[in-house]
Amino acid sequence: RNRRAQAMSTEAAQAFAFRQLVKHLQVRTDVQNIDQMNLAGFCRNCLAKWLFAGHVMAAGGSPEASRSYTDCLADVYGMSYGQWKSKYQAKATPEQMAKYKETSELHAKHPPVVEAAAKAAKKKKKPASSSSASKSPAAPATSSSTAEVKKSTSPSAAALSDVCCRSPEEIAKSLAADPALVHPNVGLGVSGETVAVPAGFEMRVAVLTVSDRASAKEYEDLSGPAIEASLEKFSKSSARSIKVIDRKVVPDDVTAISAVLKEWADGKKPGLILTTGGTGFTKRDVTPEATRQVAERLALGLAAAVTIESARSEPFALLSRAVAAIRKNTLIFNLPGRPKAVEENLVLALPTVMQAVYQLQQELSV
């Protein structure tokens, strides 16, 4: 599998592990946050802050556009933070506090300005959901607090919690200033991103292969079948219905290409038309021109994002002139001509494409 597919599988596995960890902690209400911090260096509030940080990153660094920290706390605790504290949080025992003090030199360290802000927040008695700093002691940096470990091991900066004792506002501010937020994969990728599309929705697709030689029967069309195979695979992984209603092969000719695009969009009205071939730099590569000719609106961001992401593993992908466009209630999306490139592009595009098709098709039922 290509690197993008591997990355998606890794992200899905990591998300599953997080969900299982949260589920386990929701069941283990007998485990206090201070015990987690003394032993592992993080608590449930840290998980909520990491979750909040992830939402802010997904929103391009904007906390206003992301899920709130209060909601993230509820996601982790399985109820509001206030409810959990009322039901399950116990007063720290002398033994727990002694352990906490014993590991004090391993606690996350913060600049004076941060400590001052934490004290000010505590004085104002802000709600627990806005900051765990006023409610819980700082988390230790490592999973061990024994004297022997402290003597033999010096915790690295990476081992220190990057969310403990920090307010959601501070986390959001630091994320917004982080260059790593220029995330190339936002909006592309895993089938889980189709959750906004109802399970009963069926995406009807027409496939157009553009090739002089394939249309002349000089060689077998491999790209069209590659598209259908990718659609079938995505349908299974996303649990969404996809039906190919027509498939044709035409030569590299603007008139021939545009005629089929019009016929399908105006007549059979598929939600999606996928073209393959004719997106390069030669004079016979005219699929983008034919697509623009029949387009009522362009959706250039989608095609550009897929092209740029593809170039991470195949630099020559930047030589694609593919476009995406809308005619009536049909999305037309250009794909390259090579079967392997077709598969890689569809892995990236299909989750977002299905959402776009769903939105366009809803207008038909209004």
Side-chain angles (χ1 to χ4, degrees):
R1 297 181 297 176
N2 60 45
R3 283 181 286 178
R4 175 58 183 157
Q6 290 174 340
M8 288 189 297
S9 297
T10 299
E11 289 178 6
Q14 291 169 341
F16 174 77
F18 176 82
R19 291 194 297 271
Q20 293 303 104
L21 174 60
V22 167
K23 181 180 178 181
H24 180 79
L25 290 175
Q26 289 177 354
V27 172
R28 291 299 306 274
T29 55
D30 58 310
V31 178
Q32 296 293 301
N33 280 336
I34 191 171
D35 291 326
Q36 286 184 260
M37 290 189 290
N38 287 342
L39 179 65
F42 74 94
C43 67
R44 295 175 179 85
N45 286 355
C46 284
L47 283 181
K49 288 180 179 179
W50 281 318
L51 182 59
F52 173 69
H55 279 298
V56 173
M57 290 179 66
S62 171
E64 294 79 13
S66 75
R67 189 167 178 78
S68 73
Y69 175 60
T70 300
D71 287 339
C72 290
L73 279 169
D75 290 339
V76 170
Y77 282 94
M79 60 187 72
S80 75
Y81 182 37
Q83 288 176 319
W84 191 92
K85 287 199 303 177
S86 176
K87 286 186 176 183
Y88 304 114
Q89 183 164 298
K91 183 178 180 179
T93 66
E95 291 78 12
Q96 288 172 321
M97 291 305 301
K99 190 73 168 179
Y100 170 69
K101 292 178 180 179
E102 178 189 345
T103 61
S104 61
E105 67 182 67
L106 299 180
H107 293 177
K109 303 299 189 295
H110 305 289
V113 64
V114 176
E115 298 292 354
K119 289 181 181 179
K122 187 174 183 179
K123 287 181 180 179
K124 291 180 180 179
K125 296 182 179 180
K126 286 189 175 182
S129 61
S130 66
S131 174
S132 63
S134 62
K135 299 295 181 180
S136 305
T142 66
S143 61
S144 175
S145 61
T146 64
E148 292 76 10
V149 172
K150 288 194 288 183
K151 289 178 180 177
S152 61
T153 305
S154 176
S156 66
L160 299 176
S161 170
D162 59 355
V163 293
C164 188
C165 299
R166 300 175 68 194
S167 69
E169 293 78 16
E170 183 185 355
I171 294 171
K173 184 176 180 180
S174 64
L175 287 170
D178 190 346
L181 281 176
V182 184
H183 201 294
N185 300 330
V186 170
L188 301 173
V190 297
S191 59
E193 292 169 10
T194 62
V195 291
V197 177
F201 175 70
E202 180 179 73
M203 184 167 72
R204 300 168 66 251
V205 185
V207 179
L208 180 63
T209 298
V210 180
S211 168
D212 286 332
R213 290 187 292 171
S215 65
K217 308 294 184 182
E218 294 180 11
Y219 73 71
E220 182 183 1
D221 170 29
L222 300 178
S223 298
I227 289 177
E228 293 196 52
S230 294
L231 291 173
E232 182 179 359
K233 185 182 298 184
F234 178 76
S235 177
K236 291 179 179 178
S237 66
S238 65
R240 299 300 189 275
S241 177
I242 299 177
K243 180 180 180 180
V244 176
I245 63 170
D246 205 348
R247 195 178 119 197
K248 290 186 178 181
V249 181
V250 297
D252 293 282
D253 176 77
V254 171
T255 301
I257 299 168
S258 60
V260 175
L261 296 179
K262 288 180 182 178
E263 174 193 340
W264 281 345
D266 299 352
K268 295 189 175 182
K269 296 181 172 63
L272 174 66
I273 297 176
L274 293 173
T275 72
T276 172
T279 60
F281 279 31
T282 72
K283 292 183 178 179
R284 295 293 293 172
D285 289 327
V286 294
T287 303
E289 284 69 32
T291 302
R292 288 174 179 270
Q293 189 177 95
V294 303
E296 295 175 347
R297 293 180 288 166
L298 295 175
L300 299 179
L302 179 56
V306 172
T307 297
I308 292 171
E309 178 61 19
S310 298
R312 290 166 60 84
S313 58
E314 174 50 72
F316 286 147
L318 290 175
L319 298 180
S320 171
R321 297 186 305 108
V323 299
I326 300 167
R327 181 180 176 87
K328 306 296 184 184
N329 292 88
T330 298
L331 176 65
I332 304 171
F333 190 81
N334 297 160
L335 293 167
R338 293 185 302 109
K340 184 175 183 297
V342 163
E343 295 170 2
E344 292 175 350
N345 274 232
L346 286 177
V347 166
L348 295 170
L350 278 174
T352 307
V353 162
M354 176 170 272
Q355 179 63 39
V357 171
Y358 175 68
Q359 291 180 12
L360 289 171
Q361 292 293 295
Q362 291 312 291
E363 295 182 358
L364 291 175
S365 59
V366 175

